[in-house]
Amino acid sequence: MDTTVANTGTEGKTWGGGNKPLGASYGKMMMWFFIVSDALTFSGFLAAYGFSRFKFIKEWPIADEVFTHVPFLHGQELPMIYVAFMTFILIMSSVTMVLAVDAGHHMNKAKVTLYMFLTIIGGAIFVGSQAWEWATFIQGDYGAVQTKGGNILQFGEYVNVDGEQKFKRISIDDFAVPVTDVRVEHERKNGLWFVDEAPLPDYTVNEIYKGLEANPNILVRNQIINEEGEKTVLSREESLKQIKENGKLVVKGANLVVNEYGTSLFADFFFFITGFHGFHVFSGVVINIIIFFNVILGTYERRGSYEMVEKVGLYWHFVDLVWVFVFTFFYLV
Amino acid sequence: MAHAHKLEIFRGLWKFKSNTQKIWGVLAFLTLVTAIEVVLGIYKPESLMHTWLDPMEGGFFATLYNIILSPFIYMKPLNLIFIVLTIVKAYYITWDFMHMRDEKSSLRRMVVWTGVFLICYLIFILLQEGGYVFEVYNTDDALIKRDF
């Protein structure tokens, strides 16, 4: 290049070219550009979540009642514990990543290898945890009835806990009474051969209503959040009336169409935002593995600089950064 | 390549001997913040569940007061604490893990100011609109009926 550019006599001056106003290499700067744009994408999603939540602020599901499960502790309600664990794993893998970058600065190949390996393990644990979280969310736990207007009615009873009346949820499996007039699921072999039907719910609204009638202790809870920040529990008469007149579909678990926890938008945003974040973590793990093998092969040793580890590290920390916000706005606020 | 690291956090209150030590220090701090968030999230202290100030009625200055103090008027203190702690965590992840502390101020401003400005704008627009749609749905003479 030296032969093609004439000396201008301004070298070293501000506009003379050749100086680095941002003091960063091209690759690092481009990684920062990408991170800024990706941060805007994620904040767009989270702001859209906020938009929908503000729109339905009086009936949004309460996260503490949705995410209560911890692996191996079946049947216990432990909100926050599992996500806190996931957050800690991700922060921890961020630490090993930054330690790898630091070891890279000292050209210490053995340490970079070890820390990159630990980072990959941390990322894999996180993605696995997220898959478990999704599976639990999709499977659901108590079940609910969706009304004609798309609202969700849940079931429970008042129990005495340390002298205090508390509303405890009851699963539809525990009280639904089987009725024999159930509609048979349509199949190709017993109906129109060119039409498919999605599997029918386990129960019909009629079975739920029969069960509700038979158990006078069970009450219905709707989506509206009252003054105390809890969902409104209906009276016995109102409970029966709501199920009989407005009940349309029995839902268990959540998907993109129905959601037993409340507004279906909640599940849509949950799948979309944590899914997009999980995809980032997954691609981060893949990139980390590539860099890990490059480190083992000595590519950066020969290059004389471990800057590539630093660039991947930036991406990895960014993923952690996004999770900090997802954690706050999905599980805490 | 900037090999020189600034080895102090909290404006010099906490100094470290090496970069590795600083990383562990920051981890300790981030873990502490997360632990505080989780404990608050599980126990939800009653005193933090209701807003501290009520909106003022009438007049230009009352509106101005509502706007300036809106985080205290329209937000539960608990949620405000969560959001502040999140931003604190984001700061230390960016500054120490992503080495923003060691970058030139031009690069830092390019990234942080652009992002912060656009994100604030986006949040303002969408939350304002969401609140408006809520009003439309929930006025006394709302035309849209959803409760059936």
Side-chain angles (χ1 to χ4, degrees):
Chain A
M1 290 296 277
D2 284 344
T3 51
T4 57
V5 179
N7 271 356
T8 55
T10 54
E11 287 80 11
K13 292 189 176 142
T14 307
W15 299 101
N19 57 5
K20 288 178 168 179
L22 300 177
S25 70
Y26 176 79
K28 232 167 106 177
M29 222 161 69
M30 287 308 120
M31 185 50 93
W32 273 113
F33 280 12
F34 167 71
I35 286 174
V36 170
S37 66
D38 216 23
L40 290 173
T41 309
F42 271 109
S43 50
F45 291 161
L46 283 173
Y49 171 80
F51 168 80
S52 299
R53 189 168 169 170
F54 270 40
K55 198 166 137 183
F56 300 119
I57 196 81
K58 285 265 180 281
E59 56 214 87
W60 202 250
I62 299 167
D64 278 358
E65 295 177 355
V66 180
F67 307 103
T68 57
H69 298 275
V70 176
F72 311 118
L73 297 175
H74 191 72
Q76 296 186 46
E77 298 220 344
L78 300 163
M80 302 286 308
I81 303 292
Y82 194 53
V83 254
F85 162 77
M86 282 166 71
T87 309
F88 184 72
I89 288 289
L90 206 56
I91 291 180
M92 205 55 222
S93 82
S94 240
V95 167
T96 53
M97 187 80 227
V98 75
L99 287 171
V101 173
D102 188 64
H105 284 166
H106 297 112
M107 300 297 286
N108 186 337
K109 185 180 158 183
K111 270 193 168 175
V112 179
T113 313
L114 172 71
Y115 287 133
M116 284 301 292
F117 180 70
L118 291 176
T119 308
I120 292 165
I121 297 296
I125 295 176
F126 183 85
V127 177
S129 307
Q130 213 165 36
W132 187 87
E133 183 96 339
W134 269 47
T136 317
F137 185 74
I138 290 169
Q139 202 191 4
D141 38 15
Y142 297 109
V145 168
Q146 193 180 34
T147 68
K148 291 173 191 157
N151 295 323
I152 288 292
L153 301 172
Q154 299 168 329
F155 304 91
E157 61 178 340
Y158 276 110
V159 286
N160 241 326
V161 184
D162 308 328
E164 236 182 304
Q165 288 283 71
K166 280 212 167 131
F167 192 74
K168 198 172 173 303
R169 298 282 306 281
I170 293 178
S171 170
I172 50 170
D173 299 323
D174 295 340
F175 70 87
V177 173
V179 178
T180 40
D181 66 341
V182 180
R183 187 167 85 76
V184 181
E185 183 182 334
H186 171 258
E187 283 172 281
R188 280 167 186 256
K189 64 172 191 243
N190 62 10
L192 298 174
W193 59 268
F194 51 88
V195 178
D196 271 326
E197 186 184 31
L200 292 172
D202 289 343
Y203 304 105
T204 60
V205 177
N206 195 21
E207 287 171 327
I208 299 289
Y209 181 73
K210 285 276 184 319
L212 188 62
E213 246 182 351
N215 295 282
N217 57 328
I218 299 179
L219 298 170
V220 163
R221 188 173 85 151
N222 67 16
Q223 294 185 81
I224 311 295
I225 296 172
N226 62 18
E227 298 277 303
E228 285 88 49
E230 286 161 1
K231 303 276 178 184
T232 313
V233 180
L234 304 177
S235 68
R236 179 76 188 152
E237 298 76 52
E238 186 66 17
S239 299
L240 287 164
K241 186 174 155 248
Q242 280 289 332
I243 297 292
K244 189 164 187 74
E245 286 178 8
N246 297 332
K248 191 183 168 210
L249 182 71
V250 178
V251 287
K252 182 136 201 214
N255 52 44
L256 291 173
V257 185
V258 290
N259 166 14
E260 71 155 71
Y261 309 102
T263 328
S264 56
L265 269 174
F266 178 80
D268 299 345
F269 274 111
F270 176 78
F271 288 129
F272 195 58
I273 295 178
T274 63
F276 200 70
H277 176 264
F279 182 67
H280 272 74
V281 179
F282 172 73
S283 48
V285 169
V286 171
I287 296 167
N288 274 344
I289 289 172
I290 295 169
I291 301 297
F292 174 67
F293 281 114
N294 271 338
V295 170
I296 291 181
L297 293 173
T299 312
Y300 307 123
E301 200 72 27
R302 283 195 295 281
R303 200 178 280 177
S305 149
Y306 277 89
E307 207 199 48
M308 195 56 91
V309 177
E310 197 173 338
K311 282 180 258 183
V312 178
L314 282 180
Y315 178 71
W316 190 251
H317 298 311
F318 170 71
V319 169
D320 182 24
L321 185 70
V322 170
W323 178 254
V324 165
F325 283 91
V326 172
F327 173 64
T328 300
F329 292 111
F330 258 97
Y331 297 94
L332 289 176
V333 169
Chain B
M1 281 271 286
H3 282 266
H5 294 289
K6 292 180 183 146
L7 294 176
E8 50 186 45
I9 59 172
F10 307 136
R11 306 245 154 215
L13 271 179
W14 195 359
K15 294 190 175 71
F16 298 97
K17 287 194 195 74
S18 71
N19 193 39
T20 325
Q21 275 191 8
K22 186 181 82 168
I23 294 164
W24 290 111
V26 173
L27 170 71
F29 177 66
L30 291 180
T31 311
L32 176 74
V33 172
T34 310
I36 293 173
E37 283 182 335
V38 170
V39 168
L40 284 177
I42 290 174
Y43 291 104
K44 299 196 174 191
E46 191 53 35
S47 55
L48 299 174
M49 295 303 284
H50 301 282
T51 51
W52 284 333
L53 301 171
D54 290 321
M56 280 225 277
E57 290 286 335
F60 172 74
F61 289 103
T63 311
L64 206 61
Y65 167 89
N66 290 347
I67 291 172
I68 291 169
L69 293 173
S70 54
F72 303 101
I73 293 175
Y74 299 108
M75 208 189 271
K76 279 184 216 154
L78 188 67
N79 288 353
L80 187 63
I81 291 170
F82 284 150
I83 289 169
V84 169
L85 288 181
T86 305
I87 292 168
V88 168
K89 276 203 282 187
Y91 174 87
Y92 284 100
I93 289 172
T94 321
W95 254 244
D96 290 306
F97 288 175
M98 298 169 101
H99 301 300
M100 224 18 160
R101 209 184 282 281
D102 307 325
E103 301 290 355
K104 274 194 168 184
S105 59
S106 45
L107 176 70
R108 201 166 63 219
R109 288 171 191 163
M110 178 189 84
V111 171
V112 177
W113 289 6
T114 313
V116 167
F117 169 72
L118 289 173
I119 290 169
C120 288
Y121 177 64
L122 198 62
I123 290 171
F124 167 71
I125 290 286
L126 280 170
L127 294 191
Q128 188 70 20
E129 186 70 10
Y132 169 73
V133 177
F134 173 79
E135 296 285 309
V136 171
Y137 277 167
N138 289 278
T139 45
D140 295 332
D141 55 348
L143 292 171
I144 303 159
K145 187 168 156 45
R146 294 189 61 260
D147 192 20
F148 56 91

